[in-house]
Amino acid sequence: MSIADLFQFLMYVTLLIATIKPMGWYITRVFSGEEFWLRPKIAKIETTFYKIARIRPDVEQHWITYIACLLIFHAVGFVVLYAILRLQAYLPFNPNHVANLSPDLALNTAISFLTNTNWQNYSGEISLSHLSQMVGLTVQNFFSAASGMVVAIALIRGFSRQEKQTIGNFWVDVTRAILYVLLPLSIILAIFLIWQGVPQNFSGDIAVTTLEQKNQMIPQGPVAAQEAIKIIGTNGGGFFNTNSSHPYENPTPLSNFLQMMMMAIIGAALTNVFGRMIGDQRQGWAIFTAMACLLFIHAGLMYYFEQQPNPILQQMAAENNIILTGINMEGKEVRFGLFNSIFYANLTTATATGAVNAMHSSFMPLSGGIMLWNMMLGGILIGGAGSGLYGMLLFVILTAFIAGLMVGRTPEYKGNKLQIREIKMTVLATLVIPFLILSFTALTLYRPDITQNMANPSAHGFSELLYFYTSTATGNGSAFAGFNANTPFFNITGAVVMLLGRLLVMIPVLAIAGSLAAKRLSPITVGSLPTHNFTFIILLIGVIFVFSLLLPALALGPIAEHFLLISATPP
Amino acid sequence: MVRLLRTTILIFGCLLILTGVVYPAFITLIGQIFFQNQANGSFVFTHHGVSQGSILIAQSFEQDHYFHGRPSLINTDNRAISIGRNLGQTNHVLLRDVIEKAKYLLVKNQGSSQPIPMDIVTVSGSNLDPHITPESARFQVPRIARSRQVSEDELLKLIEDNTIPRTFFILGEPRINVLQINLVLDQLYPIKP
């Protein structure tokens, strides 16, 4: 490992951990409604919004009402976004005169941004107007991140409350998530990004004559504003086709570092929010430790895999008397090099962001395997804004349940008794992701012409398909992007998988929140299972492995490709 | 139900205007006031104010007297849209292409000594990568020295002066901006017409 890479890694880890406590303190204040220095400044806007919409912020909701509000919020969001995408040709801010999206592509894109997946079957600079990017996609970037956060907050309330029928007010939570957390962070990041070179203007293509007297048309747009929330909300839908590898989205190593930091900042802080709200910060740190352990082990593995030379290429080069030097740079940008490419890829798959700064399909096969694995875990290593924490808490519930059974006591977590109802909901929510991935991948393989959608032959082609359904089911949105999923079949199945993968986790989570909130907390005694120590963390990691590691599917894709790579002969 | 829908539409409208209109407008305002060059695409201009391209977006260089950037799928005279090639490591199309590019470079750069750096035989993620590694720049020195009639040592010095270091000595990789160094080349060693 080179010294510079080691320092980049240490700098990242140190700064991320340093943000957890202050950010955790801040987010806790925001959602508990307590007073703090920023509140009076923003509260004016907040109360105006409540007045306009006639929301009574002090009235809390039952979990079923909470779900109803969440669904109707998404439904309105869908209608608005779908309409914008279908009508963009007639709307203003369309300097390059792009056409309307087709119905199936608009459906896929709208669901994709609604569910925080941000899978993109279109190319931003070819297919979308500035208005669609701004009023359509940027808005949903905020809303989908906020909806993830409020579900996490509602679940935390479930853990911390007793004998209450309510879990909070959906409208208040969403408004606060946007006004106090997502918007201020986005403003700060957007300004930093412009400073680093990300454009923010409304012009169409700019024509230049290059040094060799050729013509070049360079697309422009309001990139920085969208780029900021794309990262902070763990959305990942790029303004341009190639996302954060585009020099206009991610111009410098510093902008790359900030993006990596901001991708994880809310997810990491929410573990601390959890600890604070249930009155024991050690619980939050235990969860963060489990997340971070897996995340950094994966980073290490990818760093190792990616440094290995391609044996077939070496053989071919030797036959032609060519000597090549350096790591595999296909699909990577020079300014990021090895470390920043693998670390970004690891983070983006682990946090359910899905932004990419290098083409995932061109990494070494086993690196691709790690990315798939990160997603199969359900985006819980740090995880998406909100979705990471509630996904992880499902595994915490399972672990506490299994541990309780092993020692022969009523399973409980911090005084919350875990009974049939909670466990049923937890199992439903944790099994829905592997079920969606495996069933849709398997069924799609029956299509006789499926290889025509793949950009690569053999095992890698299978990986592309597996990656597609894994990425959509877990709300990630990154891709083995050679795969052509812009067909009516994949647009529609993709939309179905994204919607089910999001809602069939969120709804059970809110049901658990409601049922835990209604229960009386039992006192913690010496006989209670400690859930913050090393033993529990190891057990938690074990449970995550057993439930999420879809090894047979990985064996057919990246692992098979790895053996092809080390055993094959040159063409 | 009707009340719930009305509430949703109203709060949705408020938040949409805030995040979809006010927020981007505010960011644009800040960008246009404080970081005018960056916010408008980081273009470089001649003394007469003619734009010569964006420092962040690769342009194609094919003439012998310029440093060449990384290979790209985007043809010259096309719109600079970003596309990834997305070929896997076991794909013969990728492997053959790398070897072809390497052979071509050896023909083009007679007098250069191997090894060939990987970055100039592979395409980047965006296909718009404006940088090459310093090794790739040094690999091209004999060709440029011949065609500009300057000594190789001067060019090596130029490469050293134009290497962008790691940010804070830690972040990223050392690199050369191809457009930047070619602008300097034209200035210091102009081609006699």
Side-chain angles (χ1 to χ4, degrees), chain B residues 76-103:
Chain B
T76 46
D77 282 3
N78 269 5
R79 204 171 165 228
I81 48 166
S82 58
I83 27 175
R85 181 154 73 168
N86 292 303
L87 296 180
Q89 290 296 314
T90 49
N91 194 328
H92 293 168
V93 178
L94 168 67
L95 301 170
R96 284 207 194 92
D97 185 69
V98 170
I99 298 296
E100 287 310 311
K101 293 239 156 67
K103 281 184 186 165

PDB file of all heavy atoms in Angstrom, chain B residues 76-103:
ATOM      1  N   THR B  76     -13.954  13.420 -32.819  1.00  0.00           N
ATOM      2  CA  THR B  76     -13.765  14.854 -32.943  1.00  0.00           C
ATOM      3  C   THR B  76     -14.959  15.430 -33.675  1.00  0.00           C
ATOM      4  O   THR B  76     -15.664  14.730 -34.394  1.00  0.00           O
ATOM      5  CB  THR B  76     -12.502  15.143 -33.763  1.00  0.00           C
ATOM      6  OG1 THR B  76     -12.536  14.303 -34.886  1.00  0.00           O
ATOM      7  CG2 THR B  76     -11.270  14.886 -32.948  1.00  0.00           C
ATOM      8  N   ASP B  77     -15.186  16.700 -33.508  1.00  0.00           N
ATOM      9  CA  ASP B  77     -16.308  17.398 -34.139  1.00  0.00           C
ATOM     10  C   ASP B  77     -17.663  16.910 -33.633  1.00  0.00           C
ATOM     11  O   ASP B  77     -18.697  17.227 -34.184  1.00  0.00           O
ATOM     12  CB  ASP B  77     -16.281  17.265 -35.661  1.00  0.00           C
ATOM     13  CG  ASP B  77     -15.253  18.208 -36.246  1.00  0.00           C
ATOM     14  OD1 ASP B  77     -14.568  18.876 -35.445  1.00  0.00           O
ATOM     15  OD2 ASP B  77     -15.129  18.287 -37.472  1.00  0.00           O
ATOM     16  N   ASN B  78     -17.664  16.110 -32.580  1.00  0.00           N
ATOM     17  CA  ASN B  78     -18.941  15.690 -32.009  1.00  0.00           C
ATOM     18  C   ASN B  78     -19.252  16.498 -30.762  1.00  0.00           C
ATOM     19  O   ASN B  78     -18.382  17.140 -30.199  1.00  0.00           O
ATOM     20  CB  ASN B  78     -18.892  14.215 -31.615  1.00  0.00           C
ATOM     21  CG  ASN B  78     -19.365  13.339 -32.747  1.00  0.00           C
ATOM     22  OD1 ASN B  78     -19.634  13.824 -33.832  1.00  0.00           O
ATOM     23  ND2 ASN B  78     -19.449  12.069 -32.481  1.00  0.00           N
ATOM     24  N   ARG B  79     -20.498  16.391 -30.315  1.00  0.00           N
ATOM     25  CA  ARG B  79     -20.885  16.961 -29.047  1.00  0.00           C
ATOM     26  C   ARG B  79     -20.149  16.198 -27.939  1.00  0.00           C
ATOM     27  O   ARG B  79     -20.040  14.980 -28.005  1.00  0.00           O
ATOM     28  CB  ARG B  79     -22.393  16.746 -28.893  1.00  0.00           C
ATOM     29  CG  ARG B  79     -23.037  17.702 -27.973  1.00  0.00           C
ATOM     30  CD  ARG B  79     -24.540  17.588 -28.014  1.00  0.00           C
ATOM     31  NE  ARG B  79     -25.008  18.281 -26.840  1.00  0.00           N
ATOM     32  CZ  ARG B  79     -25.891  17.806 -25.994  1.00  0.00           C
ATOM     33  NH1 ARG B  79     -26.457  16.647 -26.196  1.00  0.00           N
ATOM     34  NH2 ARG B  79     -26.230  18.517 -24.944  1.00  0.00           N
ATOM     35  N   ALA B  80     -19.614  16.916 -26.968  1.00  0.00           N
ATOM     36  CA  ALA B  80     -18.818  16.266 -25.924  1.00  0.00           C
ATOM     37  C   ALA B  80     -19.731  15.615 -24.891  1.00  0.00           C
ATOM     38  O   ALA B  80     -19.793  16.018 -23.745  1.00  0.00           O
ATOM     39  CB  ALA B  80     -17.885  17.282 -25.265  1.00  0.00           C
ATOM     40  N   ILE B  81     -20.466  14.596 -25.331  1.00  0.00           N
ATOM     41  CA  ILE B  81     -21.292  13.866 -24.377  1.00  0.00           C
ATOM     42  C   ILE B  81     -20.432  12.788 -23.741  1.00  0.00           C
ATOM     43  O   ILE B  81     -19.509  12.273 -24.343  1.00  0.00           O
ATOM     44  CB  ILE B  81     -22.498  13.200 -25.078  1.00  0.00           C
ATOM     45  CG1 ILE B  81     -22.026  12.465 -26.322  1.00  0.00           C
ATOM     46  CG2 ILE B  81     -23.562  14.219 -25.406  1.00  0.00           C
ATOM     47  CD1 ILE B  81     -23.032  11.520 -26.888  1.00  0.00           C
ATOM     48  N   SER B  82     -20.758  12.449 -22.495  1.00  0.00           N
ATOM     49  CA  SER B  82     -19.953  11.452 -21.804  1.00  0.00           C
ATOM     50  C   SER B  82     -20.536  10.065 -22.041  1.00  0.00           C
ATOM     51  O   SER B  82     -21.737   9.874 -21.960  1.00  0.00           O
ATOM     52  CB  SER B  82     -19.925  11.766 -20.310  1.00  0.00           C
ATOM     53  OG  SER B  82     -21.237  11.802 -19.791  1.00  0.00           O
ATOM     54  N   ILE B  83     -19.665   9.114 -22.353  1.00  0.00           N
ATOM     55  CA  ILE B  83     -20.117   7.726 -22.458  1.00  0.00           C
ATOM     56  C   ILE B  83     -19.054   6.813 -21.862  1.00  0.00           C
ATOM     57  O   ILE B  83     -17.860   7.055 -22.017  1.00  0.00           O
ATOM     58  CB  ILE B  83     -20.365   7.266 -23.923  1.00  0.00           C
ATOM     59  CG1 ILE B  83     -19.496   8.075 -24.882  1.00  0.00           C
ATOM     60  CG2 ILE B  83     -21.826   7.313 -24.284  1.00  0.00           C
ATOM     61  CD1 ILE B  83     -19.586   7.598 -26.304  1.00  0.00           C
ATOM     62  N   GLY B  84     -19.482   5.770 -21.202  1.00  0.00           N
ATOM     63  CA  GLY B  84     -18.529   4.798 -20.686  1.00  0.00           C
ATOM     64  C   GLY B  84     -18.438   3.637 -21.661  1.00  0.00           C
ATOM     65  O   GLY B  84     -19.376   3.357 -22.395  1.00  0.00           O
ATOM     66  N   ARG B  85     -17.276   2.962 -21.699  1.00  0.00           N
ATOM     67  CA  ARG B  85     -17.149   1.836 -22.612  1.00  0.00           C
ATOM     68  C   ARG B  85     -17.653   0.556 -21.944  1.00  0.00           C
ATOM     69  O   ARG B  85     -18.204  -0.315 -22.604  1.00  0.00           O
ATOM     70  CB  ARG B  85     -15.708   1.679 -23.063  1.00  0.00           C
ATOM     71  CG  ARG B  85     -15.527   0.515 -24.035  1.00  0.00           C
ATOM     72  CD  ARG B  85     -14.348   0.702 -24.945  1.00  0.00           C
ATOM     73  NE  ARG B  85     -13.087   0.521 -24.235  1.00  0.00           N
ATOM     74  CZ  ARG B  85     -11.917   0.408 -24.855  1.00  0.00           C
ATOM     75  NH1 ARG B  85     -11.856   0.473 -26.167  1.00  0.00           N
ATOM     76  NH2 ARG B  85     -10.805   0.269 -24.175  1.00  0.00           N
ATOM     77  N   ASN B  86     -17.421   0.426 -20.640  1.00  0.00           N
ATOM     78  CA  ASN B  86     -18.011  -0.661 -19.862  1.00  0.00           C
ATOM     79  C   ASN B  86     -17.655  -2.057 -20.325  1.00  0.00           C
ATOM     80  O   ASN B  86     -18.448  -2.986 -20.194  1.00  0.00           O
ATOM     81  CB  ASN B  86     -19.542  -0.533 -19.839  1.00  0.00           C
ATOM     82  CG  ASN B  86     -19.982   0.675 -19.062  1.00  0.00           C
ATOM     83  OD1 ASN B  86     -19.639   0.794 -17.891  1.00  0.00           O
ATOM     84  ND2 ASN B  86     -20.697   1.581 -19.691  1.00  0.00           N
ATOM     85  N   LEU B  87     -16.465  -2.239 -20.875  1.00  0.00           N
ATOM     86  CA  LEU B  87     -16.068  -3.598 -21.241  1.00  0.00           C
ATOM     87  C   LEU B  87     -15.421  -4.277 -20.036  1.00  0.00           C
ATOM     88  O   LEU B  87     -14.683  -3.660 -19.274  1.00  0.00           O
ATOM     89  CB  LEU B  87     -15.090  -3.569 -22.415  1.00  0.00           C
ATOM     90  CG  LEU B  87     -15.669  -3.019 -23.714  1.00  0.00           C
ATOM     91  CD1 LEU B  87     -14.620  -3.023 -24.811  1.00  0.00           C
ATOM     92  CD2 LEU B  87     -16.895  -3.813 -24.156  1.00  0.00           C
ATOM     93  N   GLY B  88     -15.716  -5.579 -19.868  1.00  0.00           N
ATOM     94  CA  GLY B  88     -15.163  -6.323 -18.741  1.00  0.00           C
ATOM     95  C   GLY B  88     -13.741  -6.782 -19.009  1.00  0.00           C
ATOM     96  O   GLY B  88     -13.277  -6.778 -20.161  1.00  0.00           O
ATOM     97  N   GLN B  89     -13.049  -7.184 -17.961  1.00  0.00           N
ATOM     98  CA  GLN B  89     -11.632  -7.554 -18.080  1.00  0.00           C
ATOM     99  C   GLN B  89     -11.412  -8.835 -18.872  1.00  0.00           C
ATOM    100  O   GLN B  89     -10.312  -9.084 -19.330  1.00  0.00           O
ATOM    101  CB  GLN B  89     -11.017  -7.688 -16.681  1.00  0.00           C
ATOM    102  CG  GLN B  89     -10.859  -6.366 -15.957  1.00  0.00           C
ATOM    103  CD  GLN B  89      -9.893  -5.452 -16.678  1.00  0.00           C
ATOM    104  OE1 GLN B  89      -8.814  -5.864 -17.089  1.00  0.00           O
ATOM    105  NE2 GLN B  89     -10.278  -4.196 -16.842  1.00  0.00           N
ATOM    106  N   THR B  90     -12.439  -9.670 -19.022  1.00  0.00           N
ATOM    107  CA  THR B  90     -12.245 -10.893 -19.810  1.00  0.00           C
ATOM    108  C   THR B  90     -12.734 -10.711 -21.247  1.00  0.00           C
ATOM    109  O   THR B  90     -12.724 -11.653 -22.021  1.00  0.00           O
ATOM    110  CB  THR B  90     -13.021 -12.071 -19.195  1.00  0.00           C
ATOM    111  OG1 THR B  90     -14.360 -11.655 -18.936  1.00  0.00           O
ATOM    112  CG2 THR B  90     -12.378 -12.538 -17.906  1.00  0.00           C
ATOM    113  N   ASN B  91     -13.175  -9.499 -21.589  1.00  0.00           N
ATOM    114  CA  ASN B  91     -13.725  -9.279 -22.921  1.00  0.00           C
ATOM    115  C   ASN B  91     -12.598  -9.108 -23.951  1.00  0.00           C
ATOM    116  O   ASN B  91     -11.763  -8.209 -23.837  1.00  0.00           O
ATOM    117  CB  ASN B  91     -14.621  -8.038 -22.901  1.00  0.00           C
ATOM    118  CG  ASN B  91     -15.483  -7.950 -24.128  1.00  0.00           C
ATOM    119  OD1 ASN B  91     -15.084  -8.377 -25.216  1.00  0.00           O
ATOM    120  ND2 ASN B  91     -16.685  -7.419 -23.963  1.00  0.00           N
ATOM    121  N   HIS B  92     -12.581  -9.972 -24.959  1.00  0.00           N
ATOM    122  CA  HIS B  92     -11.504  -9.929 -25.952  1.00  0.00           C
ATOM    123  C   HIS B  92     -11.471  -8.616 -26.725  1.00  0.00           C
ATOM    124  O   HIS B  92     -10.412  -8.192 -27.177  1.00  0.00           O
ATOM    125  CB  HIS B  92     -11.639 -11.108 -26.917  1.00  0.00           C
ATOM    126  CG  HIS B  92     -11.397 -12.422 -26.247  1.00  0.00           C
ATOM    127  ND1 HIS B  92     -11.685 -13.628 -26.813  1.00  0.00           N
ATOM    128  CD2 HIS B  92     -10.884 -12.708 -25.026  1.00  0.00           C
ATOM    129  CE1 HIS B  92     -11.365 -14.603 -25.981  1.00  0.00           C
ATOM    130  NE2 HIS B  92     -10.884 -14.067 -24.877  1.00  0.00           N
ATOM    131  N   VAL B  93     -12.632  -7.984 -26.869  1.00  0.00           N
ATOM    132  CA  VAL B  93     -12.672  -6.706 -27.577  1.00  0.00           C
ATOM    133  C   VAL B  93     -11.783  -5.693 -26.850  1.00  0.00           C
ATOM    134  O   VAL B  93     -10.985  -4.975 -27.466  1.00  0.00           O
ATOM    135  CB  VAL B  93     -14.120  -6.175 -27.653  1.00  0.00           C
ATOM    136  CG1 VAL B  93     -14.156  -4.830 -28.346  1.00  0.00           C
ATOM    137  CG2 VAL B  93     -15.019  -7.174 -28.361  1.00  0.00           C
ATOM    138  N   LEU B  94     -11.910  -5.665 -25.516  1.00  0.00           N
ATOM    139  CA  LEU B  94     -11.093  -4.747 -24.715  1.00  0.00           C
ATOM    140  C   LEU B  94      -9.611  -5.105 -24.837  1.00  0.00           C
ATOM    141  O   LEU B  94      -8.766  -4.242 -25.102  1.00  0.00           O
ATOM    142  CB  LEU B  94     -11.534  -4.799 -23.251  1.00  0.00           C
ATOM    143  CG  LEU B  94     -10.605  -4.112 -22.253  1.00  0.00           C
ATOM    144  CD1 LEU B  94     -10.595  -2.614 -22.472  1.00  0.00           C
ATOM    145  CD2 LEU B  94     -11.007  -4.412 -20.824  1.00  0.00           C
ATOM    146  N   LEU B  95      -9.302  -6.387 -24.660  1.00  0.00           N
ATOM    147  CA  LEU B  95      -7.896  -6.802 -24.622  1.00  0.00           C
ATOM    148  C   LEU B  95      -7.198  -6.526 -25.953  1.00  0.00           C
ATOM    149  O   LEU B  95      -6.094  -5.982 -25.982  1.00  0.00           O
ATOM    150  CB  LEU B  95      -7.819  -8.297 -24.286  1.00  0.00           C
ATOM    151  CG  LEU B  95      -8.459  -8.678 -22.938  1.00  0.00           C
ATOM    152  CD1 LEU B  95      -8.564 -10.181 -22.791  1.00  0.00           C
ATOM    153  CD2 LEU B  95      -7.651  -8.088 -21.788  1.00  0.00           C
ATOM    154  N   ARG B  96      -7.894  -6.867 -27.052  1.00  0.00           N
ATOM    155  CA  ARG B  96      -7.300  -6.618 -28.373  1.00  0.00           C
ATOM    156  C   ARG B  96      -7.086  -5.121 -28.596  1.00  0.00           C
ATOM    157  O   ARG B  96      -6.073  -4.699 -29.138  1.00  0.00           O
ATOM    158  CB  ARG B  96      -8.210  -7.152 -29.480  1.00  0.00           C
ATOM    159  CG  ARG B  96      -8.159  -8.651 -29.608  1.00  0.00           C
ATOM    160  CD  ARG B  96      -8.496  -9.085 -31.047  1.00  0.00           C
ATOM    161  NE  ARG B  96      -8.754 -10.514 -31.080  1.00  0.00           N
ATOM    162  CZ  ARG B  96      -9.978 -11.042 -30.936  1.00  0.00           C
ATOM    163  NH1 ARG B  96     -11.030 -10.253 -30.798  1.00  0.00           N
ATOM    164  NH2 ARG B  96     -10.146 -12.336 -30.945  1.00  0.00           N
ATOM    165  N   ASP B  97      -8.079  -4.335 -28.142  1.00  0.00           N
ATOM    166  CA  ASP B  97      -7.987  -2.891 -28.353  1.00  0.00           C
ATOM    167  C   ASP B  97      -6.787  -2.303 -27.611  1.00  0.00           C
ATOM    168  O   ASP B  97      -6.083  -1.451 -28.153  1.00  0.00           O
ATOM    169  CB  ASP B  97      -9.283  -2.227 -27.874  1.00  0.00           C
ATOM    170  CG  ASP B  97      -9.293  -0.750 -28.181  1.00  0.00           C
ATOM    171  OD1 ASP B  97      -9.382  -0.413 -29.377  1.00  0.00           O
ATOM    172  OD2 ASP B  97      -9.183   0.063 -27.237  1.00  0.00           O
ATOM    173  N   VAL B  98      -6.546  -2.762 -26.398  1.00  0.00           N
ATOM    174  CA  VAL B  98      -5.402  -2.258 -25.627  1.00  0.00           C
ATOM    175  C   VAL B  98      -4.104  -2.562 -26.368  1.00  0.00           C
ATOM    176  O   VAL B  98      -3.229  -1.688 -26.520  1.00  0.00           O
ATOM    177  CB  VAL B  98      -5.386  -2.883 -24.206  1.00  0.00           C
ATOM    178  CG1 VAL B  98      -4.091  -2.558 -23.488  1.00  0.00           C
ATOM    179  CG2 VAL B  98      -6.569  -2.377 -23.394  1.00  0.00           C
ATOM    180  N   ILE B  99      -3.977  -3.799 -26.870  1.00  0.00           N
ATOM    181  CA  ILE B  99      -2.751  -4.178 -27.581  1.00  0.00           C
ATOM    182  C   ILE B  99      -2.593  -3.360 -28.877  1.00  0.00           C
ATOM    183  O   ILE B  99      -1.507  -2.863 -29.190  1.00  0.00           O
ATOM    184  CB  ILE B  99      -2.775  -5.693 -27.903  1.00  0.00           C
ATOM    185  CG1 ILE B  99      -2.818  -6.500 -26.602  1.00  0.00           C
ATOM    186  CG2 ILE B  99      -1.577  -6.096 -28.753  1.00  0.00           C
ATOM    187  CD1 ILE B  99      -1.605  -6.353 -25.711  1.00  0.00           C
ATOM    188  N   GLU B 100      -3.726  -3.164 -29.599  1.00  0.00           N
ATOM    189  CA  GLU B 100      -3.672  -2.366 -30.837  1.00  0.00           C
ATOM    190  C   GLU B 100      -3.201  -0.948 -30.542  1.00  0.00           C
ATOM    191  O   GLU B 100      -2.353  -0.400 -31.249  1.00  0.00           O
ATOM    192  CB  GLU B 100      -5.059  -2.308 -31.506  1.00  0.00           C
ATOM    193  CG  GLU B 100      -5.502  -3.589 -32.188  1.00  0.00           C
ATOM    194  CD  GLU B 100      -4.436  -4.130 -33.126  1.00  0.00           C
ATOM    195  OE1 GLU B 100      -3.911  -3.329 -33.939  1.00  0.00           O
ATOM    196  OE2 GLU B 100      -4.106  -5.336 -33.040  1.00  0.00           O
ATOM    197  N   LYS B 101      -3.775  -0.366 -29.477  1.00  0.00           N
ATOM    198  CA  LYS B 101      -3.401   1.012 -29.119  1.00  0.00           C
ATOM    199  C   LYS B 101      -1.919   1.087 -28.774  1.00  0.00           C
ATOM    200  O   LYS B 101      -1.223   2.037 -29.152  1.00  0.00           O
ATOM    201  CB  LYS B 101      -4.238   1.478 -27.920  1.00  0.00           C
ATOM    202  CG  LYS B 101      -5.713   1.618 -28.252  1.00  0.00           C
ATOM    203  CD  LYS B 101      -6.200   3.038 -28.017  1.00  0.00           C
ATOM    204  CE  LYS B 101      -7.420   3.347 -28.859  1.00  0.00           C
ATOM    205  NZ  LYS B 101      -8.604   2.580 -28.488  1.00  0.00           N
ATOM    206  N   ALA B 102      -1.441   0.059 -28.049  1.00  0.00           N
ATOM    207  CA  ALA B 102      -0.034   0.059 -27.645  1.00  0.00           C
ATOM    208  C   ALA B 102       0.867  -0.030 -28.877  1.00  0.00           C
ATOM    209  O   ALA B 102       1.864   0.700 -28.995  1.00  0.00           O
ATOM    210  CB  ALA B 102       0.234  -1.105 -26.698  1.00  0.00           C
ATOM    211  N   LYS B 103       0.507  -0.903 -29.838  1.00  0.00           N
ATOM    212  CA  LYS B 103       1.311  -1.033 -31.058  1.00  0.00           C
ATOM    213  C   LYS B 103       1.349   0.289 -31.818  1.00  0.00           C
ATOM    214  O   LYS B 103       2.395   0.732 -32.283  1.00  0.00           O
ATOM    215  CB  LYS B 103       0.685  -2.101 -31.968  1.00  0.00           C
ATOM    216  CG  LYS B 103       0.983  -3.524 -31.578  1.00  0.00           C
ATOM    217  CD  LYS B 103       0.374  -4.408 -32.656  1.00  0.00           C
ATOM    218  CE  LYS B 103       0.478  -5.871 -32.321  1.00  0.00           C
ATOM    219  NZ  LYS B 103      -0.421  -6.658 -33.178  1.00  0.00           N
TER     220      LYS B 103
END
